[in-house]
Amino acid sequence: QVQLVQSGAEVKKPGASVKVSCKASGYTFSSYTMHWVRQAPGQRLEWMGWIKAGDGDTKYSQKFQGRVTITRDTSAITAYMELSSLRSEDTAVYYCARSLLGEPWYDYWGQGTLVTVSS
Amino acid sequence: DIQMTQSPSTLSASVGDRVTITCRASQGIDNWLAWYQQKPGKAPKLLIYKASSLESGVPSRFSGSGSGTEFTLTISSLQPDDFATYYCQQFNSYFGGGTKVEIK
């Protein structure tokens, strides 16, 4: 069965960086795009960017351009999202979610990773 | 950017009620719209894609319709498991603000 398992909760200080991992199993990793979506407390879902797991091509939301980097390791069947220059407003649950190449909807999601930014 | 507006933001209903949630796009998006259900502390779950296609395993009481700028998600007979927050999402991955379905 398809599973996306994310790394555990993180607490970071303002200005630091965080890297969240998402390990995939149960499907052909390279045939899908992996997205990262975050949700601040009480807020709507917010798309951050994606990576095509096959060729590593990436696209980022303009809001996060320059601060977010999405990578993948095909041998580890894992995608990563790194967010730098953290501020308190980045406190949120971060999700990975997959979509079939060329389709914009997410059929499987990770369990979410809470990132707390606090001094 | 194409903005997505959902209404209502909160909806109070009883088990067995027919429930309709609306999502409006600021520009036409053809049928490139999905609906998700999210329960507290859980990841969203895909219900409907391409505006009206039911995701595998999703109960048939859920249905979607619309194209262009106006879309609806309908739950034909609300069940206890359906009390949750529902989000629409357009093709550029932007989400609506959510509709919380509460027990009346």
Side-chain angles (χ1 to χ4, degrees):
Chain A
Q1 72 282 20
V2 175
Q3 281 195 304
L4 300 176
V5 179
Q6 297 183 221
S7 48
E10 303 262 14
V11 179
K12 296 291 183 181
K13 293 196 182 301
S17 297
V18 68
K19 190 171 186 177
V20 180
S21 67
C22 172
K23 183 169 178 62
S25 62
Y27 70 96
T28 303
F29 187 62
S30 59
S31 297
Y32 288 79
T33 299
M34 195 70 80
H35 300 253
W36 288 88
V37 177
R38 79 175 188 180
Q39 188 171 37
Q43 301 301 307
R44 73 176 67 190
L45 298 158
E46 184 174 36
W47 173 75
M48 301 178 69
W50 55 247
I51 186 165
K52 292 183 179 178
D55 63 12
D57 188 25
T58 55
K59 181 178 180 180
Y60 302 121
S61 166
Q62 274 198 317
K63 177 174 178 176
F64 300 101
Q65 193 84 37
R67 279 209 307 144
V68 68
T69 304
I70 299 174
T71 57
R72 95 288 189 228
D73 180 340
T74 53
S75 62
I77 323 176
T78 300
Y80 304 90
M81 185 284 300
E82 184 169 20
L83 188 63
S84 62
S85 303
L86 290 168
R87 33 208 190 233
S88 59
E89 310 89 87
D90 294 318
T91 294
V93 176
Y94 290 77
Y95 294 101
C96 60
R98 77 163 201 183
S99 71
L100 195 58
L101 286 173
E103 293 197 344
W105 18 83
Y106 317 139
D107 59 354
Y108 282 91
W109 295 63
Q111 82 276 19
T113 297
L114 176 62
V115 175
T116 304
V117 183
S118 173
S119 55
Chain B
D1 292 345
I2 299 173
Q3 305 301 315
M4 308 301 293
T5 305
Q6 280 183 243
S7 61
S9 54
T10 306
L11 187 159
S12 295
S14 301
V15 172
D17 284 353
R18 182 181 181 88
V19 166
T20 299
I21 298 167
T22 298
C23 181
R24 289 187 174 87
S26 59
Q27 299 174 42
I29 57 171
D30 197 11
N31 66 344
W32 291 101
L33 187 104
W35 290 96
Y36 298 85
Q37 176 194 68
Q38 187 180 33
K39 296 182 179 179
K42 299 294 187 183
K45 173 187 174 183
L46 179 64
L47 300 175
I48 301 285
Y49 62 95
K50 273 189 188 170
S52 60
S53 296
L54 192 68
E55 174 69 354
S56 175
V58 174
S60 59
R61 63 181 179 272
F62 291 93
S63 64
S65 65
S67 67
T69 61
E70 189 154 334
F71 303 86
T72 58
L73 173 71
T74 300
I75 309 171
S76 60
S77 177
L78 197 65
Q79 298 302 301
D81 192 46
D82 301 339
F83 291 97
T85 299
Y86 294 83
Y87 292 95
C88 61
Q89 176 219 353
Q90 50 104 329
F91 67 94
N92 264 338
S93 298
Y94 290 98
F95 292 84
T99 296
K100 185 176 182 180
V101 177
E102 298 181 326
I103 300 173
K104 191 172 187 179

